[in-house]
Amino acid sequence: MADIYVDCEDKYAKEIYTKVIQTALEDLILGKSLIRVEFIAREKEPYFILGVLPKPTRKIIKLRDMAEIVEEKKVDGKRIYKLKITDETYLPYLLKKIHVIEQPSRFEIITDSDIDLDMDVYDTSKDFIDRVLDFMYRVFPEGMRIKKSFIDKAIVLIASERPLKPEEIEKAEKLKEKLENLK
């Protein structure tokens, strides 16, 4: 489980926020994917900042992870490939990257696009960021309509029910920098 740090002026609220964070991490199965979670709660202002430092877990799905080239031929000077889909999970992303001449079945594609088994089809870190943002939205109290996110090596989200002040945004940026510099 990730290290959790809650900065809150009320001791009872700190315990509640810690429990909410733990529960949200468990629900989304994120606890082992994060190194540290920091939550700053300023209920009187009100604004809230939540930052996470994920473990480096980026995985690129390659064509070889989901398909095989079963036939390759040259027709009118163009190379034509017949692909057999072995895992259709990321097929929609492949279809956006290639020109499909024909799709005789759900698991067969004929294309005249340049095909390389090492070509990138999808970056799973996109799904991971969506899951982290879902986690963050679950932690924030209801009514926090104004949000600003900072996504890089660390992910930080600041939220309030009113327009954010420059010094609050600066505090969120400092938390992002702090998380990214952790060893």
Side-chain angles (χ1 to χ4, degrees), residues 3-178:
D3 289 333
I4 299 170
Y5 175 77
V6 176
D7 177 358
C8 180
E9 295 157 348
D10 181 313
K11 181 184 174 198
Y12 179 70
K14 182 177 181 172
E15 291 172 12
I16 298 293
Y17 287 129
T18 302
K19 184 64 177 161
V20 167
I21 290 168
Q22 289 170 338
T23 302
L25 288 173
E26 289 168 7
D27 289 350
L28 294 168
I29 313 166
L30 275 174
K32 292 183 179 179
S33 302
L34 304 176
I35 297 168
R36 186 169 176 92
V37 176
E38 288 201 26
F39 185 60
I40 300 168
R42 297 294 178 262
E43 295 96 343
K44 293 175 186 169
E45 303 291 333
Y47 72 91
F48 301 85
I49 302 172
L50 182 56
V52 300
L53 179 62
K55 291 180 181 174
T57 56
R58 186 173 188 197
K59 182 178 181 204
I60 304 292
I61 303 299
K62 303 278 189 186
L63 181 60
R64 75 173 60 258
D65 298 326
M66 57 168 298
E68 301 169 354
I69 299 173
V70 292
E71 189 179 328
E72 182 181 340
K73 60 185 176 186
K74 217 167 192 175
V75 177
D76 297 329
K78 279 192 158 189
R79 196 165 294 283
I80 306 295
Y81 297 92
K82 182 176 183 181
L83 301 176
K84 176 183 169 197
I85 306 304
T86 55
D87 179 359
E88 61 184 328
T89 307
Y90 300 99
L91 183 57
Y93 302 102
L94 175 64
L95 294 175
K96 289 178 184 175
K97 291 184 174 257
I98 64 172
H99 175 250
V100 177
I101 297 172
E102 186 180 347
Q103 190 170 359
S105 76
R106 191 168 133 191
F107 298 105
E108 294 176 296
I109 295 173
I110 299 171
T111 180
D112 61 356
S113 296
D114 286 335
I115 293 296
D116 176 4
L117 288 174
D118 288 322
M119 72 186 269
D120 294 350
V121 174
Y122 188 72
D123 183 350
T124 60
S125 67
K126 293 175 185 172
D127 292 332
F128 180 74
I129 290 171
D130 289 344
R131 286 181 44 226
V132 169
L133 291 173
D134 182 16
F135 155 71
M136 292 174 147
Y137 294 141
R138 291 178 186 211
V139 172
F140 287 130
E142 286 188 39
M144 300 297 115
R145 296 178 308 276
I146 309 295
K147 296 180 178 90
K148 183 168 177 64
S149 59
F150 304 90
I151 302 171
D152 199 9
K153 200 169 108 181
I155 303 168
V156 174
L157 188 65
I158 180 172
S160 180
E161 62 185 22
R162 52 142 178 85
L164 296 165
K165 297 176 183 174
E167 58 270 17
E168 295 164 352
I169 293 171
E170 186 179 324
K171 194 166 190 171
E173 290 172 331
K174 283 183 179 176
L175 175 58
K176 179 181 163 293
E177 188 178 312
K178 173 186 169 188

